[in-house]
Structures are given as structure tokens and as C-alpha cells.
Amino acid sequence: MKNQTIILALCLCLISIMLPVTAAAATVNVSTTSQLITAISNAAPGTTIVLDDGTYTNGSAISINGKNGTSANLITIKAANRGKAVISGGASFNITNSSYITIDGLAFTNTGKSAVVINSSNNIRITRSKFALKEDGTTLKWLVLTGTAHHNQIDRNEFGPRRDLGQMISMDGTNGQVVQNNTIQLNYFHDSAPQAENGGETIRVGLSGLSMSDGNNIIQRNLFVNCDAENEIISVKSGHNTVRYNTFRNNHGQVTARHGNNNSFYGNFFFGDGSKAGVGGFRIYGTDHKIYNNYMEKLTDNAIQLDSGDFDGGPDSTEYTSSDLTKHWREYRVQVTNNTIVNSTTGVIIGGTHPYAPVDNRVANNIVKNTTGTLYNEKMTTNTVLEGNIGYGSTIDNVSRSSSEIRNIDPKFTTVSGLQKLASSSPAIDGSKGSYAFVTDDMDGQARSNNDVGADEYSTASIVRAPLTTSDVGVNAP
């Protein structure tokens, strides 16, 4: 009994010695750049580095190399007061071969280099930070994921305004492989000025040389407002990515499946003001994409364009050389279903000016209600299957179509929270045709029953998703 008491006392003594050391090492307060660099160098799992209010500048990027937290004990670099720790001048963060690190609440105003580069690192989170880099007339990517970066999260940040060329977020890669399994969500992208040159995408997911690889990246629940730098707001240049539940307001450009295959675009809201030129929806190339449950209103450019190509990679995208990767690839088996387009200048456009017409596409169960233009505009002769669509208010199609393909009938909308939704007497209710198993809910997140035509399912269930506002995203998002 005496020996057991001694052992217990020794154990308690050891615990009492260890606990204060762990607690003391957990939080490091810094107020200068040199202190920040030292704290990063000494960081271990569980370390939180707190930046006092002030400006942190440096002649070169701050390196975070080979630093690894754990899922239970992150390494955190955060502002004591959100937005008041400013990364300026030549300072920025290069995160390489690291993991489980969170950067929280900083303000990036640096010049001449990317604010954050995540290189071959995983489980890095950039959150509640503001990116408004100083312009200097050079092309610059503000936030970059590259190398073998995977399972990183960019959330609740603000990007903008921006006047120089380059991407706000660029998802690159290495050795033919785009970065994988990263999530971009709940961010506010706004006010990027028009550019005279190509290369001003708000988000770019891949590159031509990476386009035959799969990314499995997700871009969701972001708000894009007045992103006018070029005609591709989001440019997808890789495969198996998802763009969903985002809201686009008055942006000069479109979401583009520029390269790559098997991408999904669904549940997005697109709004124009009806007068600003070039405000569009989707432009598509490649194979096996799905575009569904999207709502589009007052657009002045093409709402959904299934473009033709200047190169044919074959039905399985296997017939090409490396020099072909930059071309506009012919479409195969793209499915466009259950979208709603209202009060816009165009509807669904099949084909374009390139010589290779789309093959085996399907356009099903969409509603286009405009007062001008051709609602379903087939610019080329294709074997596209149309079924269950509704068109109303202008020229339905430029070729003859049966009522089973396109019904010329008023969909009978009613205005609900500013959106044109199905009234109880709408002929779109239970009117869908064909089998599209991937369409399980509608733009509101309400379950579909017998599947109504268009993006909206007539339902009395609670609305799960709605168009986003600035209170839903960015540094103060829930």
C-alpha cells in the first residue's frame, strides 16, 4: 500500500510539472515581423500565434516550411482583432510541405507577390481574412494552391477590389496533375476592374496542361459581384470539379468549362440588372458535364451556351497530343436539365462558330421565358436530344420541335422573395420527362417529388438555400 501511494504521488507530481509547460507554449503573442518569423519557426502542434494590431512588412515572403500540426492540435496564426493585423509591403506567406495550419483574420495588402501560396501542403485553412493587394501594374495571383496541395479550405474571406490582371484564386498543380480535394466556400469576391488582356479570372481551377487530370475540387456558397476582369468569372480547366450554390450578381462574364471533363454546375443563381453588357451564365466545352438547377435572370449575354469546338478529342477524350490541350474541345454527352432562364436576352444556345458541333448532348426540362431572342437557339445541326422543355414569350426555336421537346406555354410564375417561381397552377408542375437521377432536389434545396420543369420544384417545404447576400459570406459570415 505504501509503495502504491508513493507511485501515485510521483505520477501527480509529473503531471503538475508537465501541464504548465504545455499551457505556456500554446499561445505566442507577437507585435513585429521578426517576432512573427521566430514564432513560426518555433511553432509546434497546438501553437497559436496571435498578431497584435499593426502592420507586418518584410523584404521577402515569410516561409512556413515543413510545419505540421495535427487534426486535434492545429498550428494557428491569427489576428488579435480581425482585420487589424496587416500584411504589407514585400511580406506574404509561402506555405510548403506543411499541414494542419490555420491563418485567421489577417488583412493582406502586400505588393508584387501572391499573398498566400499553398504548395504541396494539406489541411491548410485560410479564413476570415481580407485580400486587397496593392496594385503595381503587374499580373499577380492573389492566392495560389499548387504542387500536390490537397484537402485545403479557403473560406469566409473577402477578395477585392482589384485593378490589376491575374486571378484572385489560382488552383494550379504539378506534373500534369491539378491540386485536389480543395474547398472554396463562403467567400465574397467583388469589384475586379475590366482588363484589356486575357487572364483575369476570379477563380481558375487548373491549366491547359493539367486539364486531363481530375481535381475533385468544390467551389460553393460564394458571392461574386461586379467581377469584370474578363469573360470567365470561374474558369474550370480540369476534371471532376463541382461549382454549386454560388450567387453571381452583375458580373461581366460567364462560368466556363474551358478544359477538362465530368464537371458539375448546379444550384447557382445568376442575376444581371438587364442593362450592363456581357452578364452571362455558362459556356461549355468537353465531355460529360452536368448543368442543372441553375436560376438566371436579366442576363445580357449567353445564359447557357453549349459551344462548338475547334478540336475533337474523341468521345472519351483520348485522341490528342499536348499541343491540343489549349484548344476548345468538342462536347460529348453534356446534360443541361432543370434550369430556369427569365427576362434575359438569350436562353439555351446549341453550337457556335467553331467547326465541331456538339455530340450526344441532352437539353431537358428547362424553362426559358424571355420577351426577345430565340429561346432555344440551335446554331448548328446536331443530334442533341430535347425533351420536357418549356419556352414562352419569344421565338421558341429556329428549327421545328414537337411539344414533347419544347412546349410553347406560359409557365405561370409568381414572384417569391424576388425570384420567379412556379405558381400552384403552373403547367411545369410534374411536367418533367426522361430520367435524370442526379436531379434529386431543386434550387431551394427542396426535395423533388415527381420532378417539375425548371430549377424550382413547387413545394411548401422549408427553403434550405437562397441567393446569397454580403451578410452570408466574407469575414463576418456565420
Side-chain angles (χ1 to χ4, degrees):
M1 186 67 171
K2 183 178 180 180
N3 290 338
Q4 290 176 332
T5 302
I6 292 171
I7 292 170
L8 178 59
L10 287 171
C11 289
L12 290 172
C13 182
L14 286 170
I15 291 171
S16 68
I17 292 170
M18 293 171 64
L19 283 177
V21 173
T22 303
T27 300
V28 180
N29 292 286
V30 301
S31 58
T32 67
T33 306
S34 60
Q35 289 174 354
L36 172 60
I37 292 171
T38 298
I40 290 171
S41 177
N42 295 332
T47 297
T48 296
I49 302 170
V50 180
L51 282 70
D52 291 345
D53 297 357
T55 299
Y56 297 78
T57 189
N58 203 46
S60 59
I62 298 170
S63 176
I64 305 174
N65 192 345
K67 287 292 174 180
N68 298 284
T70 68
S71 58
N73 292 285
L74 303 174
I75 296 172
T76 302
I77 303 169
K78 65 181 295 185
N81 296 291
R82 187 179 299 162
K84 294 187 176 181
V86 180
I87 308 301
S88 182
S92 61
F93 288 107
N94 281 354
I95 306 171
T96 307
N97 298 322
S98 298
S99 64
Y100 292 103
I101 297 172
T102 292
I103 294 178
D104 183 356
L106 305 185
F108 292 91
T109 66
N110 55 289
T111 306
K113 55 175 62 66
S114 300
V116 178
V117 177
I118 301 172
N119 183 7
S120 299
S121 298
N122 66 85
N123 292 285
I124 308 300
R125 183 185 183 194
I126 312 297
T127 187
R128 301 194 186 279
S129 295
K130 179 171 173 56
F131 294 77
L133 276 63
K134 299 296 184 184
E135 58 185 301
D136 64 357
T138 61
T139 299
L140 184 65
K141 303 173 184 180
W142 281 9
L143 191 153
V144 183
L145 295 98
T146 191
T148 58
H150 64 90
H151 292 94
N152 301 293
Q153 180 168 302
I154 314 301
D155 71 284
R156 296 172 174 84
N157 303 288
E158 179 180 349
F159 293 83
R162 174 174 187 143
R163 294 175 180 82
D164 283 344
L165 190 64
Q167 295 81 48
M168 290 185 176
I169 297 180
S170 182
M171 306 178 77
D172 300 340
T174 187
N175 296 324
Q177 175 62 59
V178 70
V179 295
Q180 295 179 294
N181 298 295
N182 302 286
T183 300
I184 300 173
Q185 63 183 4
L186 295 167
N187 300 287
Y188 176 34
F189 300 93
H190 65 95
D191 298 299
S192 54
Q195 300 292 330
E197 301 176 58
N198 187 39
E201 305 96 330
T202 304
I203 301 176
R204 188 178 67 194
V205 190
L207 294 159
S208 299
L210 308 172
S211 59
M212 301 312 296
S213 65
D214 292 338
N216 297 298
N217 298 294
I218 297 174
I219 301 172
Q220 63 181 5
R221 297 185 175 90
N222 303 284
L223 174 61
F224 301 80
V225 180
N226 293 323
C227 294
D228 301 337
E230 76 139 80
N231 63 358
E232 296 182 7
I233 306 162
I234 299 176
S235 182
V236 179
K237 297 183 176 182
S238 52
H240 281 93
N241 301 289
T242 298
V243 179
R244 64 186 181 188
Y245 315 147
N246 302 285
T247 298
F248 300 86
R249 295 187 181 274
N250 232 35
N251 304 283
H252 179 96
Q254 297 169 292
V255 174
T256 305
R258 182 61 180 85
H259 302 302
N261 305 315
N262 291 284
N263 293 296
S264 295
F265 306 87
Y266 59 91
N268 301 287
F269 295 92
F270 292 81
F271 300 99
D273 61 10
S275 60
K276 180 177 178 178
V279 178
F282 293 105
R283 181 164 54 101
I284 305 299
Y285 306 94
T287 71
D288 296 306
H289 303 301
K290 296 180 176 65
I291 301 99
Y292 61 99
N293 280 349
N294 299 287
Y295 179 92
M296 303 175 178
E297 185 170 4
K298 294 185 178 179
L299 304 187
T300 57
D301 200 355
N302 295 334
I304 300 176
Q305 183 176 14
L306 304 176
D307 207 355
S308 55
D310 57 15
F311 174 73
D312 185 1
D316 299 314
S317 299
T318 56
E319 301 167 18
Y320 68 94
T321 64
S322 59
S323 63
D324 299 316
L325 294 177
T326 60
K327 298 176 181 177
H328 298 79
W329 283 40
R330 186 180 208 169
E331 294 172 25
Y332 288 88
R333 302 178 301 276
V334 175
Q335 299 185 70
V336 178
T337 180
N338 291 96
N339 301 285
T340 294
I341 303 168
V342 293
N343 300 325
S344 298
T345 57
T346 70
V348 178
I349 300 168
I350 302 170
T353 58
H354 299 303
Y356 293 104
V359 178
D360 294 337
N361 287 356
R362 302 184 75 89
V363 175
N365 306 321
N366 303 284
I367 296 177
V368 184
K369 183 181 179 181
N370 298 333
T371 58
T372 61
T374 301
L375 307 184
Y376 295 84
N377 188 356
E378 301 182 63
K379 290 189 171 183
M380 308 179 78
T381 299
T382 73
N383 67 344
T384 301
V385 172
L386 280 80
E387 60 179 353
N389 300 289
I390 289 176
Y392 187 73
S394 188
T395 302
I396 303 302
D397 202 329
N398 54 324
V399 301
S400 178
R401 288 288 180 181
S402 69
S403 60
S404 65
E405 294 173 308
I406 307 172
R407 280 190 289 168
N408 181 6
I409 190 170
D410 187 351
K412 294 186 178 179
F413 289 132
T414 185
T415 303
V416 180
S417 300
L419 302 176
Q420 301 303 299
K421 306 184 76 171
L422 302 183
S424 59
S425 59
S426 173
I429 295 174
D430 298 342
S432 283
K433 296 185 180 297
S435 178
Y436 300 91
F438 51 88
V439 185
T440 59
D441 64 2
D442 74 345
M443 66 183 189
D444 299 322
Q446 297 168 326
R448 289 190 181 265
S449 53
N450 293 323
N451 200 358
D452 302 342
V453 182
D456 176 44
E457 181 84 358
Y458 182 77
S459 174
T460 58
S462 297
I463 292 176
V464 178
R465 294 186 297 270
L468 298 167
T469 68
T470 52
S471 63
D472 300 312
V473 298
V475 297
N476 296 315

